[in-house]
Amino acid sequence: MNKKEYEANLVKEVTKDFKERQMMRRSFDAAWQLNINFLLGNQNCVISDGEVVEEEKQFIWQEREVYNHIMPLVETRASRLRRVRPSPLVRPYSSSEEDISTAKLSNNILKAVYDEKNLSELINRATMWSEACGTVFYKIVWNKNIGMKIKSNEELYSGDVDISVCSPFEIYPDSNACDSLLEVNSLIHAKAFPVDKIEELWGVKVKGGEIDVFTLDQLAGKGDYGFGFVNYGKCVKKDHAVIIEKYIKPDSVYKEGRLIIVAGDKLLYDDKLPYINESFTRRGFPFVMQCANRLPGVFWGNSVIERCIPVQRAYNAVKNRKSEFLDRLSMGVVAVEDGSVDTDILEEGGLTPGSVIVYRQGSVPPKILDSGHIPTELNNEENKLLNEFSLISGVSDMMKNSYIPSNLASGVALQMLTEQDDARLGVTADEIKSAVKKVCQHILRLYKQFAVGERLIKFSDYSGEIQVQYFNSSDITSDDIIFDTESDISDTPAQRRNTVYELLNSGLFSDENGKLTQTTKRKLIEMIGLSSIEARQDLSELQIANAKKENEEILKKDIVVSEIDDHNIHIEEHTRHALCYEKSKDKLIKHIKEHKSFLEKEKFNLAIQNAVSAE
């Protein structure tokens, strides 16, 4: 078999595999589309033959208004989950100076990537996808077409990490019965691209066509009262082709895995997995999975919307039946004797005030039938359904409406209720933390693999100032990520301030003299969220930054103690650095003695001035 036949057969094999996986996942696709339709308010739809279709009216007078309680529930959950922003910290392999230094560099790299790639916004987008469909994926790759420009006259760049959010509609595992990505042997990422973009990226011309993709679309159809409705379904994109990326995990046949990329009838790539992004320098999938709630024995996560849909249908039905009953009460139902009046005229105008009704002599005049009153069962059922929303969604009325029940007067009881609300979101919060940790590991491993030359990063230091640092791949030796501080969903700014005030009043932050050091003051101001004010008015920030700079430069040159130095701050920072780094310890001890000598002179001069003033 020649090369051309081999490529053609490989393309057919991958395309066939993709079609089979599409059919295998068809039920999940329909469920996700239904979830998003209910989230957007298009709730008069059902799944029929694997497709989401609009449900027709049974009667012309039937009310089908939508009372969307799913959107505020999801918005409330998403707003609480926005607080889950753990601070990743790279832990050194050992306590040696080299490992500590490289771990510090890795932390700075993560800070730079976090700001440059706007990782917080990507997490928000991913969380909305996971809340809607139950599952979302981060794709972390190395893009050679971004980064710093190497030559001004050529389109040549240094390359950089590229992070994107992939909806579950784009990912196709080899089995839906896997518990996680670790159990998947092969994975397909499929996405529609314009043929011009494919030619630009791959240098291959692919025949384009009309591709059906899932998207948000404003349909031409109208709602019950002439308003357009948003339907999440299929739409057609012209001059597009589907890029199929098939990732195969390393095995006995493919020691370093395999990646096959197909577009249309063309083979774009066939080689080993490009990224060493797993532990122990192994190659793996460039994806990180995040779920709202995991299910045992199922690859895909579960969304809270799936549990709310039956309750939302029942609630809409109850509200619409009440509306229909009110229509009968307000407009009435007219009873007429057969042949006594012109029913066409009566149907058009009804028994309008001031109208003259002409009826046949000797017959019974038209009258409005007594419609009774709204059954109490409807009101009871409506209240039960509202309570059921809170029970199955994990979002209480206090969380959703900022409403405190009147029967709760105890602060302890309110605190317990708040903790219960947060506990219901704890599983989803842990999923976000786990995904962020894995994303950070992928970032460091990609820099370790591709940052072969000297690179420059910019990041914000502890004082908010922009710092620059050079590094290369050999400087990255650790990808062991932990969380410096556990970011809890219940950790609000007000609660943090109250905690700081209580600890401050207890004297926990004071030194042996009962005073607060400048470093402690800075940390406390930062914890209560006033770091911007502190940065403008506190001179100690400049002193700390200068002392840290001296710590880094003391091995390269002799540092002279200046009269404008705050010697207490410098002594504290130099002592801390000397305890961590053995190489610079001797020079720092000598430098600290000079600061102490300046302090002694200042105390002596101050004592003389006080004595002269006393005389």
Side-chain angles (χ1 to χ4, degrees):
M1 183 184 300
N2 57 36
K3 181 179 179 182
K4 188 174 182 180
E5 293 177 346
Y6 170 78
E7 291 182 355
N9 290 336
L10 186 58
V11 170
K12 291 180 181 179
E13 180 185 339
V14 172
T15 304
K16 180 183 177 182
D17 187 20
F18 173 58
K19 296 296 183 182
E20 292 175 352
R21 298 189 189 201
Q22 279 184 311
M23 294 300 297
M24 181 178 61
R25 210 194 60 184
R26 187 179 179 186
S27 60
F28 291 97
D29 289 343
W32 298 335
Q33 292 179 58
L34 187 66
N35 287 353
I36 299 179
N37 271 287
F38 268 76
L39 178 64
L40 296 177
N42 181 31
Q43 297 176 357
N44 294 313
C45 54
V46 294
I47 297 177
S48 177
D49 296 329
E51 298 287 340
V52 177
V53 296
E54 191 78 10
E55 194 175 24
E56 298 295 333
K57 281 186 176 183
Q58 293 180 335
F59 307 98
I60 191 173
W61 47 265
Q62 184 180 3
E63 292 277 357
R64 292 204 311 164
E65 288 296 317
V66 171
Y67 304 88
N68 193 352
H69 280 262
I70 291 180
M71 176 63 85
L73 289 176
V74 173
E75 288 177 343
T76 302
R77 285 173 56 92
S79 64
R80 295 295 290 266
L81 292 172
R82 287 176 69 96
R83 303 176 187 173
V84 184
R85 292 297 179 269
S87 301
L89 180 66
V90 181
R91 182 166 53 185
Y93 279 126
S94 67
S95 59
S96 64
E97 299 176 24
E98 291 77 12
D99 286 342
I100 294 175
S101 179
T102 56
K104 182 179 178 182
L105 169 65
S106 299
N107 287 325
N108 295 337
I109 292 175
L110 293 179
K111 289 180 183 178
V113 174
Y114 195 98
D115 295 335
E116 184 178 350
K117 306 300 179 183
N118 199 4
L119 191 56
S120 180
E121 177 60 28
L122 292 177
I123 296 173
N124 292 336
R125 287 171 50 196
T127 302
M128 284 303 299
W129 271 111
S130 65
E131 286 296 297
C133 302
T135 313
V136 72
F137 297 85
Y138 300 90
K139 188 176 184 181
I140 308 98
V141 300
W142 186 267
N143 191 341
K144 63 180 181 180
N145 297 318
I146 61 177
M148 296 182 62
K149 200 168 186 179
I150 297 177
K151 294 183 180 180
S152 58
N153 58 344
E154 296 181 14
E155 294 297 323
L156 186 61
Y157 297 88
S158 61
D160 204 349
V161 169
D162 196 4
I163 308 172
S164 59
V165 175
C166 300
S167 74
F169 293 101
E170 302 176 5
I171 305 299
Y172 298 84
D174 57 356
S175 173
N176 293 321
C178 300
D179 280 332
S180 65
L181 274 176
L182 297 176
E183 297 185 6
V184 174
N185 294 318
S186 66
L187 192 75
I188 287 180
H189 179 211
K191 190 173 183 180
F193 274 83
V195 292
D196 296 339
K197 187 68 173 179
I198 295 175
E199 184 177 0
E200 177 186 344
L201 294 175
W202 301 100
V204 177
K205 289 186 178 181
V206 179
K207 183 179 179 181
E210 295 183 349
I211 306 297
D212 287 332
V213 295
F214 294 111
T215 184
L216 287 170
D217 187 25
Q218 183 74 30
L219 300 185
K222 300 295 181 180
D224 293 344
Y225 295 99
F227 297 102
F229 58 88
V230 178
N231 182 27
Y232 191 83
K234 289 185 177 180
C235 75
V236 176
K237 286 187 176 182
K238 297 182 179 180
D239 296 326
H240 275 60
V242 177
I243 294 286
I244 304 174
E245 301 176 356
K246 184 175 181 180
Y247 297 85
I248 301 175
K249 186 180 292 185
D251 54 20
S252 58
V253 179
Y254 303 102
K255 301 294 184 180
E256 295 183 307
R258 190 181 185 187
L259 171 59
I260 307 170
I261 303 179
V262 173
D265 58 349
K266 300 292 181 65
L267 179 65
L268 305 182
Y269 183 91
D270 180 19
D271 205 343
K272 61 185 179 182
L273 290 175
Y275 307 120
I276 305 175
N277 50 16
E278 295 292 337
S279 57
F280 306 108
T281 63
R282 294 178 298 182
R283 298 178 185 269
F285 303 147
F287 298 98
V288 171
M289 184 177 179
Q290 176 181 313
C291 296
N293 295 283
R294 290 188 181 271
L295 298 175
V298 182
F299 179 77
W300 307 102
N302 177 259
S303 170
V304 68
I305 299 178
E306 296 178 29
R307 305 195 297 266
C308 291
I309 285 178
V311 182
Q312 182 67 66
R313 290 188 194 275
Y315 185 80
N316 289 340
V318 170
K319 292 288 287 186
N320 283 314
R321 298 301 81 77
K322 289 179 66 176
S323 180
E324 292 164 2
F325 206 99
L326 289 173
D327 289 342
R328 293 190 182 95
L329 290 177
S330 59
M331 293 183 290
V333 178
V334 182
V336 297
E337 184 178 338
D338 186 23
S340 64
V341 296
D342 187 345
T343 55
D344 293 336
I345 296 177
L346 197 61
E347 285 180 356
E348 291 180 3
L351 297 179
T352 57
S355 61
V356 177
I357 305 298
V358 179
Y359 62 96
R360 183 172 53 83
Q361 185 177 5
S363 63
V364 179
K367 63 178 181 178
I368 298 178
L369 296 178
D370 184 12
S371 299
H373 59 278
I374 297 178
T376 57
E377 288 79 5
L378 289 179
N379 293 326
N380 294 336
E381 183 66 16
E382 181 182 348
N383 293 330
K384 289 180 181 177
L385 291 171
L386 288 175
N387 292 332
E388 198 166 348
F389 271 118
S390 300
L391 290 175
I392 67 177
S393 66
V395 178
S396 66
D397 291 336
M398 187 178 72
M399 187 192 304
K400 181 176 63 176
N401 304 323
S402 300
Y403 167 75
I404 299 177
S406 57
N407 58 345
L408 289 181
S410 170
V412 177
L414 289 175
Q415 182 65 28
M416 292 179 62
L417 186 60
T418 303
E419 291 177 356
Q420 290 176 0
D421 289 340
D422 296 335
R424 292 175 178 178
L425 297 177
V427 174
T428 306
D430 290 340
E431 283 288 330
I432 297 176
K433 294 176 184 178
S434 177
V436 171
K437 178 179 179 179
K438 293 177 183 177
V439 168
C440 292
Q441 289 176 332
H442 277 244
I443 291 171
L444 293 178
R445 290 163 183 169
L446 288 181
Y447 275 111
K448 176 67 175 178
Q449 181 181 357
F450 293 102
V452 292
E454 191 175 61
R455 299 182 64 90
L456 176 69
I457 57 171
K458 293 189 296 183
F459 59 93
S460 299
D461 62 4
Y462 62 94
S463 62
E465 295 185 0
I466 301 299
Q467 302 289 338
V468 295
Q469 188 173 4
Y470 287 93
F471 75 97
N472 56 44
S473 59
S474 61
D475 296 329
I476 303 174
T477 60
S478 176
D479 53 23
D480 185 13
I481 305 292
I482 60 173
F483 293 138
D484 184 18
T485 56
E486 291 293 332
S487 179
D488 195 1
I489 53 178
S490 63
D491 187 20
T492 63
Q495 290 172 330
R496 284 197 300 270
R497 292 192 186 101
N498 289 334
T499 302
V500 171
Y501 296 151
E502 290 176 1
L503 295 176
L504 189 62
N505 292 332
S506 65
L508 186 63
F509 296 123
S510 303
D511 58 11
E512 62 276 6
N513 298 322
K515 296 182 179 180
L516 297 176
T517 63
Q518 293 293 339
T519 303
T520 304
K521 289 181 181 179
R522 175 179 58 81
K523 288 292 184 182
L524 292 176
I525 293 175
E526 182 180 348
M527 290 173 65
I528 62 177
L530 300 177
S531 57
S532 58
I533 299 176
E534 177 261 352
R536 289 196 300 267
Q537 65 184 16
D538 192 2
L539 186 61
S540 62
E541 285 291 338
L542 297 176
Q543 296 286 352
I544 294 173
N546 187 32
K548 288 181 175 292
K549 185 178 179 181
E550 291 178 355
N551 291 336
E552 300 294 335
E553 297 178 348
I554 198 164
L555 289 176
K556 302 176 183 178
K557 61 180 182 180
D558 293 332
I559 305 298
V560 180
V561 177
S562 174
E563 294 182 355
I564 62 175
D565 289 343
D566 189 321
H567 303 291
N568 290 318
I569 293 178
H570 276 250
I571 291 172
E572 182 179 351
E573 293 298 327
H574 295 327
T575 303
R576 183 182 294 110
H577 193 80
L579 293 173
C580 297
Y581 296 93
E582 190 69 26
K583 284 185 179 180
S584 56
K585 184 175 182 179
D586 294 336
K587 283 196 169 186
L588 282 173
I589 291 175
K590 181 181 178 181
H591 187 71
I592 291 171
K593 289 180 178 179
E594 295 178 6
H595 279 291
K596 291 181 177 180
S597 177
F598 266 81
L599 278 177
E600 293 296 331
K601 291 180 181 179
E602 290 178 356
K603 290 180 181 179
F604 179 75
N605 293 334
L606 182 61
I608 294 177
Q609 291 178 2
N610 292 335
V612 172
S613 300
E615 292 178 356

